[in-house]
Amino acid sequence: MPGLLQPPALGDPIPDREHAISVHFPTWGDVRDYGAGESRVANALRNGYPRSHLHKHNQALFAKCGRDFVTPSEEMVLFPDYQTAEDCKAFITSQRIHSTDAANPEDVSLVLVEFTQAKDSPSIGEHVFFVPRLYGVVHPAGARKVKMTFWRLTGTGISSRLAESCLKRDVTVRRVSAAPPKAPPRAELPVYDVLRKRVADLLDRAPINPGRAQRAKSDDVYLYPSGMAAIYHVHHALPKWRDSDIVMLGFPYELTIKMIDAMGVPHRFLSAGTESDIDELESVLVEKSRIGQKIQSVWCECPNNPMLRTSNLKRVRKLADQYDFIFVVDDTIGSFANVDVMDVADIIVTSLSKYFNGLADVLAGSIFLNPNFPHYPQLKKAFNAEYTNNLYAADAMRLELNSRSYLERFTQQNETASAVVDFLFPYTSDPASTLANVYYPKVCWSRNNYQDVMRPVTEDFTPGYGGFLSVDFDTVAAASAFFDNLPFYKGPSFGADIPIAIPYVQLVLQQEKTWASSHGLSETLVRISVGMVDKSAMLECVKKALQAADATRNA
């Protein structure tokens, strides 16, 4: 590696692990056709990102549970708790969201799915991981696309490890019209406390402000089955505190916008995250204040995906203090190792699937409620009222094992990505090159904003600018030549031990290119997550791919 001696085939899981969370698209054309919904690619998929593609174990479990219960014109999907299943039903049947595509509420039912515990467990793990019940939504087969939209937007579905375990057991299914009485709470395994403490310790490691009043505590860390599930539950909980407008600052993950659209949350989108955008935010706050109103929250990433820009977080914090709103920061890309946002964020949301896990074989997420700001008591009450730990035990155990090497891995990824940027950036001003832009916090107009939240250097770790970069080209021909000639894994996700590249818009926003372009996001952008690759080998591969891109100018 990085050269793939035996490149995976289209649709193969990457990495080659039973519960991999990515899938290989060898060429630009494969990604383009997948984004456009071409059956050629869709039918070749043996895996996919778990929120966008049902794992084979999930498909098998849904079929098994519905075998004697679901008619040929229906399908079943399973969730870890009753409330999530009810939310899915409400989504599927919402005429506000789907208009004429909404399912008839009378055709959608909720079911309780109960599993028997194996009498002769081959190992103690079978007992430890046993889940006695799940909740299902039975819906018309014609609502499959809408169902999968909910699965994708919320990240609340069951994991492939949980599905694999449930497949080994006998099952009974019965309809329910209301939440059944709660079973006695199961004692949580020690692994959850280990994970919460690890997240809290990383939030506290090398603080920018050693004198802050409150340290991060593990009981302020909430675990979820994906990063999007964490975001979804913040959107569920905050209206209990204040049901009002939210503002998205900086180009956000597109699913977040779609989620809040679907939830009917009033919002404003300030895509660049520049000082002028924050000026606009301040104008909104001033006007709201004049008529006696307040917004609920401002959300941003640090930095954002995929253009790696960082808004002026300190200025937003001052506005939060002055105009009384919650500031939510997603630090997934900067990550605990590099950035410290505890002095600015009321709530910190993190996808643990990426750098923290680091091996692309677990979905997980976390929320941290910051005790250093005045609304902490009310937020704590709101979150505790609705929180259920749905991170499956086997996923938690894998996450705990993988995350032990987090700082060690990130040291190399910071260095490698920075070296690639140093090599590529001069070409953006070379008229002979097709490379138009390199996006990375180190070379971005918002570099000072990023550096404002960088942790200090310690003996065990030197903070950097992150483990992925994005490159943009003059033409689609140049971008596709660059991508096709990168000998990397090609697919969604980032932060893994393997290098993963993807043309972001082609995959994520294929149907919304015009909208993306209006916010500065070009279809010629390629995102590169460097993985644990030798720096010199990575540079050689990128150099050859750039030569292939530049060759298109004379073709």
Side-chain angles (χ1 to χ4, degrees):
M1 218 30 220
L4 302 181
L5 299 180
Q6 293 182 319
L10 169 63
D12 279 1
I14 55 172
D16 186 15
R17 297 170 189 147
E18 181 69 11
H19 300 283
I21 64 171
S22 194
V23 60
H24 191 57
F25 297 109
T27 70
W28 181 279
D30 294 330
V31 181
R32 179 198 61 222
D33 291 351
Y34 175 76
E38 295 289 336
S39 59
R40 173 188 75 83
V41 180
N43 293 339
L45 298 187
R46 294 179 50 239
N47 199 55
Y49 198 70
R51 286 191 297 96
S52 303
H53 178 86
L54 292 177
H55 191 278
K56 63 182 180 182
H57 294 322
N58 294 69
Q59 295 180 44
L61 180 65
F62 299 170
K64 175 182 178 179
C65 294
R67 188 169 297 140
D68 300 321
F69 194 87
V70 174
T71 69
S73 63
E74 295 178 319
E75 293 182 2
M76 178 189 291
V77 61
L78 298 177
F79 295 95
D81 61 78
Y82 178 85
Q83 183 59 54
T84 307
E86 193 173 61
D87 290 348
C88 181
K89 177 181 178 180
F91 182 86
I92 289 174
T93 58
S94 172
Q95 291 186 351
R96 180 190 65 79
I97 300 171
H98 307 298
S99 187
T100 56
D101 290 332
N104 186 330
E106 295 182 358
D107 296 333
V108 181
S109 59
L110 301 186
V111 296
L112 171 63
V113 181
E114 295 180 296
F115 299 93
T116 59
Q117 187 164 352
K119 294 179 180 178
D120 300 316
S121 298
S123 69
I124 190 171
E126 288 294 315
H127 173 72
V128 168
F129 298 151
F130 177 58
V131 172
R133 58 174 58 172
L134 297 172
Y135 294 89
V137 180
V138 178
H139 61 85
R144 178 185 303 152
K145 183 177 179 180
V146 174
K147 176 267 303 289
M148 284 305 300
T149 298
F150 180 86
W151 182 278
R152 183 169 63 101
L153 290 181
T154 68
T156 53
I158 66 168
S159 77
S160 57
R161 285 186 178 86
L162 174 51
E164 182 181 36
S165 175
C166 291
L167 280 168
K168 302 172 183 176
R169 309 177 189 284
D170 293 331
V171 60
T172 59
V173 183
R174 61 184 174 89
R175 295 188 191 275
V176 292
S177 57
K182 286 188 176 181
R186 299 176 69 217
E188 279 209 340
L189 298 175
V191 66
Y192 295 114
D193 288 333
V194 172
L195 284 170
R196 293 186 186 104
K197 185 178 187 304
R198 185 165 298 161
V199 169
D201 287 348
L202 286 165
L203 285 166
D204 254 347
R205 192 196 65 82
I208 293 173
N209 174 19
R212 65 172 60 116
Q214 298 287 333
R215 305 289 298 273
K217 304 187 299 292
S218 59
D219 63 357
D220 287 327
V221 176
Y222 297 76
L223 299 172
Y224 293 88
S226 69
M228 284 302 288
I231 292 172
Y232 181 70
H233 284 286
V234 174
H235 283 301
H236 253 291
L238 283 185
K240 295 179 174 65
W241 171 75
R242 179 186 297 159
D243 193 4
S244 186
D245 297 18
I246 71 171
V247 175
M248 308 294 295
L249 184 63
F251 194 93
Y253 187 38
E254 56 91 25
L255 288 184
T256 306
I257 292 181
K258 291 181 179 178
M259 178 198 298
I260 61 179
D261 279 339
M263 295 176 73
V265 179
H267 63 280
R268 182 182 294 260
F269 176 34
L270 303 175
S271 63
T274 59
E275 289 298 316
S276 61
D277 277 341
I278 301 178
D279 289 342
E280 184 177 343
L281 167 63
E282 187 167 9
S283 296
V284 170
L285 296 169
V286 169
E287 178 58 24
K288 291 274 189 184
S289 179
R290 188 185 66 80
I291 59 177
Q293 295 181 359
K294 299 176 180 179
I295 68 169
Q296 177 209 86
S297 55
V298 171
W299 290 64
C300 75
E301 293 178 290
C302 177
N304 66 6
N305 180 23
M307 302 179 79
L308 299 167
R309 296 165 174 167
T310 308
S311 296
N312 186 339
L313 305 183
K314 290 185 175 180
R315 183 181 172 193
V316 179
R317 179 69 251 169
K318 289 179 180 178
L319 292 175
D321 293 338
Q322 182 177 356
Y323 292 98
D324 188 32
F325 59 82
I326 296 299
F327 189 22
V328 185
V329 177
D330 184 335
D331 69 347
T332 299
I333 295 172
S335 202
F336 306 131
N338 288 328
V339 299
D340 175 10
V341 296
M342 274 190 65
D343 288 333
V344 295
D346 296 88
I347 300 173
I348 301 172
V349 179
T350 310
S351 172
L352 303 178
S353 317
K354 309 300 194 300
Y355 294 114
F356 184 82
N357 177 58
L359 296 179
D361 60 357
V362 177
L363 283 192
S366 67
I367 290 170
F368 174 73
L369 300 183
N370 194 340
N372 289 285
F373 294 108
H375 292 302
Y376 167 78
Q378 300 101 305
L379 294 176
K380 188 77 172 172
K381 182 178 179 180
F383 275 82
N384 286 345
E386 74 154 31
Y387 179 65
T388 301
N389 180 10
N390 285 328
L391 178 60
Y392 180 50
D395 292 307
M397 295 183 77
R398 174 55 56 181
L399 182 65
E400 189 281 320
L401 180 65
N402 291 352
S403 62
R404 293 177 189 179
S405 60
Y406 166 68
L407 286 180
E408 178 183 348
R409 283 186 279 103
F410 220 154
T411 295
Q412 182 173 340
Q413 293 191 39
N414 275 334
E415 292 177 355
T416 302
S418 183
V420 172
V421 170
D422 289 345
F423 167 73
L424 287 174
F425 191 70
Y427 286 96
T428 61
S429 56
D430 182 352
S433 178
T434 57
L435 184 63
N437 286 295
V438 175
Y439 299 110
Y440 192 63
K442 182 179 179 180
V443 295
C444 184
W445 57 260
S446 63
R447 173 175 174 155
N448 289 341
N449 293 337
Y450 183 92
Q451 290 178 332
D452 279 345
V453 293
M454 280 184 78
R455 295 184 184 275
V457 175
T458 59
E459 289 185 3
D460 61 337
F461 189 78
T462 299
Y465 295 92
F468 86 70
L469 60 139
S470 295
V471 291
D472 203 356
F473 292 85
D474 290 341
T475 65
V476 170
S480 61
F482 178 84
F483 180 77
D484 289 350
N485 283 276
L486 278 175
F488 298 166
Y489 294 95
K490 316 281 184 68
S493 199
F494 61 86
D497 55 332
I498 57 172
I500 303 177
I502 198 71
Y504 185 85
V505 171
Q506 299 294 336
L507 179 73
V508 178
L509 295 164
Q510 177 69 223
Q511 309 295 331
E512 294 145 311
K513 289 181 182 179
T514 301
W515 176 84
S517 179
S518 71
H519 294 291
L521 188 54
S522 169
E523 67 171 313
T524 51
L525 181 143
V526 178
R527 188 180 72 185
I528 303 171
S529 178
V530 297
M532 299 297 291
V533 175
D534 176 76
K535 190 178 353 181
S536 59
M538 171 66 76
L539 289 170
E540 186 62 26
C541 289
V542 170
K543 180 180 179 181
K544 290 180 179 178
L546 182 60
Q547 289 171 346
D550 289 345
T552 63
R553 178 160 287 177
N554 300 318

